[in-house]
Amino acid sequence: MNSSHDLAPVTVIGLGPMGRAMVTTLMNAGHPVTVWNRTPSRAAELVTAGATLAPTPADALVASELIILSLTDYPAMYDILGGSTGALAGKVLVNLSSDTPEASREATAWAAKHGASFLTGGVMVPAPMVGTEAAYVYYSGPEALLREHESVLRLLGAPRYVGKDPGLAQLWYQAQLTVFLTALSGLLQAAALVSAAGVPVGDFLPDALDTFTGIPVMLEGGQELAKSLETGVHPGDLSTVLMMGATADHIVRTSETLGVDVDVPKAVKSHYDRTIAAGHGTDNWTALYEVIKSRR
């Protein structure tokens, strides 16, 4: 790590819950932090704690070499910085906003056009966990740039470098969020199902959460799953597509009977239906991957 960055000034643009958590973490480590937000009132507590509120995005850029962006998406970056591109030369933009891999590649080219360096990042914890030992952040782009500023960025969460391609961090981030968002929808679907039948949700949730935490154990750490997905071999020794597909059908029918939304269970059932139609009925449930992995 480069000790010259130990107490370097940092600019954070975007003060939603994640941005505010980043500012607090950086200030607690001793860094002078300049902030900017569309709604200046969001900076009030941070300013009281020692942050400097920049009056304009250009002033925010001038204040630091390292600029951290915590915005809704990449278009917000263009909206905010588009009128201040003259101040971008020599800056390091670390965009920790969510968007697509292609948006990250386009942003890298845009930054380079204006003389700035660019790192893509994806923060893999909620705001209250920023700066804790459990926090980690995917990064992609020039590895040397990450290493140069690692002593600062590490404060937010352990850096996990995934490659030179600027789009890779967002690819990993979106893939992880696919697991997360799908699981949350499944949890709420299950809660709605039991609630519609008169079961108190509070009685049901502990077992549901045990199912969540038990998945890694059931998948034996993922090694066998990875082997099946990589080789395309799905031995049907236990949970076949036909068996799991029958369960998926029962979930749809139960949801319909209870008047619960059926979009999620129907989507899941469609994976099993199409996998059976493709001739994988007696294979392991992992054969769904053969249907899911490409629609080209």
Side-chain angles (χ1 to χ4, degrees), residues 30-286:
H31 288 273
V33 181
T34 297
V35 300
W36 187 88
N37 193 69
R38 292 182 194 271
T39 306
S41 59
R42 283 192 176 181
E45 290 185 10
L46 298 173
V47 170
T48 299
T52 299
L53 177 62
T56 68
D59 292 316
L61 292 173
V62 168
S64 314
E65 176 190 7
L66 183 63
I67 315 297
I68 296 175
L69 303 168
S70 180
L71 304 167
T72 303
D73 52 26
Y74 275 43
M77 176 184 70
Y78 302 123
D79 289 344
I80 293 167
L81 301 183
S84 307
T85 53
L88 283 173
K91 302 301 178 180
V92 176
L93 301 181
V94 181
N95 199 329
L96 301 181
S97 314
S98 174
D99 215 301
T100 66
E102 188 55 34
S104 299
R105 298 183 185 107
E106 293 170 356
T108 299
W110 176 83
K113 178 181 175 182
H114 297 292
S117 303
F118 195 89
L119 279 174
T120 305
V123 182
M124 296 311 306
V125 293
M129 293 176 66
V130 167
T132 68
E133 291 186 359
Y136 65 100
V137 184
Y138 290 128
Y139 288 100
S140 62
E143 184 174 8
L145 192 63
L146 171 60
R147 300 310 170 200
E148 182 182 355
H149 295 276
E150 185 173 359
S151 62
V152 179
L153 297 175
R154 182 172 289 278
L155 295 170
L156 307 179
R160 297 189 183 179
Y161 181 70
V162 294
K164 182 178 180 180
D165 176 355
L168 286 175
Q170 280 299 318
L171 177 66
W172 282 64
Y173 176 81
Q174 301 303 343
Q176 291 282 17
L177 267 292
T178 298
V179 176
F180 183 63
L181 295 182
T182 305
L184 292 183
S185 288
L187 179 64
L188 296 180
Q189 180 79 32
L193 201 62
V194 297
S195 178
V199 176
V201 172
D203 291 349
F204 165 75
L205 284 177
D207 284 348
L209 295 178
D210 282 344
T211 299
F212 265 141
T213 58
I215 289 174
V217 176
M218 288 186 281
L219 295 181
E220 299 177 340
Q223 290 87 353
E224 287 301 313
L225 174 59
K227 182 179 178 181
S228 290
L229 302 187
E230 290 167 358
T231 63
V233 177
H234 309 278
D237 300 327
L238 186 59
S239 303
T240 67
V241 175
L242 282 168
M243 183 186 77
M244 299 281 271
T247 299
D249 178 61
H250 300 157
I251 294 169
V252 170
R253 288 158 54 192
T254 302
S255 298
E256 289 174 335
T257 299
L258 292 171
V260 174
D261 185 87
V262 294
D263 282 357
V264 169
K266 279 190 173 181
V268 173
K269 182 178 181 294
S270 77
H271 288 156
Y272 286 93
D273 290 343
R274 286 183 283 132
T275 304
I276 292 168
H280 295 288
T282 57
D283 290 343
N284 192 53
W285 67 272
T286 54

